[in-house]
Amino acid sequence: MRFRSELDPLRPYIPPKSWRMAAEGTDENRYAKLTSNELAFGPLPEAEAALAEVLPRANRYPDSHVTRLRQVVAEANAGTETRNVLVGNGSSEVLMNVLQLLPVGEVVYPWPSFSLYPMICAVLGMTARPVSLTENHEIPAEALLSAVTDETRAVILCNPNNPSGTYLTLDEVTSLASELPPDVLLILDEAYVEFVDDPTYRDSHTLALGRENVITARTFSKAHGLAGLRVGYGIGPEKIADYAERVRFPVSVNLAAQVAATASMLAQEKVRERAEFVVRERSRLQEAFAGAKLDFIPSQGNFIMVRFEAEDFEKAGVLVREGAALEYPGWSRVTVGDSWENDRVIAALGNETREAEPAAKPQRAS
Ligand SMILES: *Cc1c(COP(=O)(O)O)cnc(C)c1O
């Protein structure tokens, strides 16, 4: 057998330790699991009720065009029509589908960023052109523009950026979009948009509606607490949405994902309250890092990069994403958890040398 040589450098995704523990069924209740930027809370009760209601109909295929969810997403984003909405099996699929629409060429993105980008580029035979974050871990808007050549097909801007947590304001993204050649697609990956505390950023989708070459990709995996169901969406020009629907796997968004995401979007006030909780807790953690004289990167996501070893967090009963996996050796990416989990993160900072047996997490009242 011969394989495409671009695939040789690809390795299977190495998940964080908490995923392996869950797969093995080992006792995970002893740890605060802050590895993957998931929400600490389960789906909203509205989403759970919708799931329970459709399960008896799981013998039937769901709506392959995901019409109801696309309508609800459009209603939640002023100025958006259903025909502007893309959907996918996670926003990962939205990103993949959009890149599949472009002729083979180069894809520019800041780096370090989301590990999926180089992976998708390799699979699609595109050439990745990573551009380093600035010394202050900021997104290098000017350098991104300079990296664009005649071969560039897309710029992927993870905003806020995972793992740095830094972001460009809506004005900055707007000028980046305006300066890009019209045949280069700007893909805004806004997986963490709900945690941006600048209220003027909220309408970022309008950037994608007013132009031919901008799309935004969002997800139900983070603020909505539905990572396990795999559903994401995008907002962009009708033409891109139309083409993306042509390449999407016919029923990639399953029945459970469709109804839970719809119910969660309809309850978006509650999602916003949960995101506000995360933002308050993010400040509390950042103050604790500052108080402990640790380097950290002020974040607009539901995670914070801090110069503190993952091993030392683990000794204190906290699992975080090791910086070495994110090109930040010596650092950790800490997901903002619930109050109990964040207390434990803070306790770990003073605990570096002491090896205590962590207590089990109290069971949450439902
Ligand atoms: C978590 C995350 C996503 C979401 O992926 P899904 O496929 O929707 O679960 C997308 N982009 C970035 C940068 C992320 O961190």
Side-chain angles (χ1 to χ4, degrees):
M1 265 305 289
R2 280 180 60 225
F3 296 99
R4 289 163 51 211
S5 59
E6 325 67 291
L7 303 183
D8 289 341
L10 288 180
R11 293 285 172 274
Y13 177 70
I14 301 174
K17 184 162 179 170
S18 59
W19 295 23
R20 296 199 298 275
M21 291 169 75
E24 291 159 6
T26 45
D27 173 24
E28 25 162 338
N29 215 21
R30 287 192 306 128
Y31 288 98
K33 291 188 299 302
L34 304 177
T35 58
S36 307
N37 302 344
E38 297 147 336
L39 192 72
F41 313 112
L44 287 174
E46 288 84 346
E48 283 197 25
L51 283 169
E53 205 253 314
V54 298
L55 280 185
R57 279 186 276 131
N59 56 317
R60 302 292 177 194
Y61 282 106
D63 168 18
S64 69
H65 290 297
V66 199
T67 313
R68 182 71 187 126
L69 175 59
R70 289 166 63 229
Q71 282 169 351
V72 165
V73 166
E75 284 158 18
N77 290 275
T80 308
E81 303 291 336
T82 304
R83 59 178 183 272
N84 298 117
V85 180
L86 301 74
V87 290
N89 185 288
S91 57
S92 303
E93 193 189 34
V94 174
L95 296 169
M96 174 83 166
N97 287 164
V98 165
L99 282 167
Q100 279 177 302
L101 307 180
L102 307 175
V104 169
E106 298 177 356
V107 179
V108 171
Y109 47 79
W111 194 256
S113 191
F114 195 33
S115 59
L116 189 75
Y117 308 153
M119 194 271 243
I120 298 184
C121 286
V123 169
L124 296 180
M126 306 279 257
T127 306
R129 291 277 181 245
V131 176
S132 294
L133 297 178
T134 71
E135 252 173 61
N136 294 327
H137 316 283
E138 299 287 346
I139 295 168
E142 285 303 314
L144 287 175
L145 277 173
S146 313
V148 171
T149 70
D150 289 347
E151 296 301 310
T152 306
R153 307 290 176 247
V155 173
I156 310 178
L157 182 62
C158 183
N159 203 39
N161 186 49
N162 173 14
S164 61
T166 48
Y167 92 122
L168 295 182
T169 64
L170 191 52
D171 280 348
E172 290 168 325
V173 183
T174 306
S175 54
L176 178 68
S178 308
E179 287 174 58
L180 279 180
D183 58 348
V184 173
L185 179 63
L186 177 60
I187 303 173
L188 278 176
D189 179 349
E190 298 187 321
Y192 301 99
V193 66
E194 294 90 345
F195 307 108
V196 174
D197 60 15
D198 169 4
T200 65
Y201 196 84
R202 291 254 161 78
D203 287 329
S204 60
H205 69 280
T206 55
L207 192 63
L209 295 175
R211 286 159 215 270
E212 306 267 285
N213 65 331
V214 180
I215 86 120
T216 165
R218 297 181 181 170
T219 183
F220 288 91
S221 299
K222 308 288 156 64
H224 287 265
L226 296 173
L229 292 184
R230 314 300 307 124
V231 52
Y233 64 99
I235 297 176
E238 185 179 345
K239 191 95 187 257
I240 295 180
D242 171 19
Y243 270 77
E245 192 64 1
R246 300 180 196 198
V247 302
R248 185 171 64 86
F249 228 65
V251 198
S252 68
V253 185
N254 71 61
L255 176 68
Q258 292 193 28
V259 298
T262 300
S264 197
M265 190 53 97
L266 287 170
Q268 61 165 330
E269 264 317 306
K270 292 191 181 177
V271 175
R272 183 162 296 176
E273 281 165 24
R274 286 170 152 201
E276 284 167 1
F277 167 83
V278 171
V279 169
R280 286 195 300 276
E281 288 286 288
R282 178 175 76 198
S283 300
R284 185 162 79 90
L285 286 176
Q286 290 184 162
E287 281 161 24
F289 295 154
K293 305 261 184 303
L294 294 170
D295 286 338
F296 69 95
I297 310 175
S299 174
Q300 289 289 317
N302 67 340
F303 54 86
I304 308 162
M305 285 298 300
V306 58
R307 199 197 294 262
F308 191 84
E309 294 282 356
E311 275 179 11
D312 293 322
F313 276 121
E314 185 168 341
K315 285 177 196 158
V318 179
L319 297 178
V320 299
R321 189 58 159 155
E322 315 81 351
L326 306 170
E327 309 210 0
Y328 274 92
W331 293 63
S332 296
R333 190 191 62 197
V334 183
T335 302
V336 179
D338 63 21
S339 305
W340 179 87
E341 290 167 329
N342 301 333
D343 285 347
R344 184 171 270 195
V345 169
I346 293 170
L349 308 178
N351 231 1
E352 220 172 320
T353 50
R354 195 152 32 93
E355 217 165 311
E357 179 64 13
K361 177 173 177 169
Q363 289 303 304
R364 220 183 347 258
S366 55

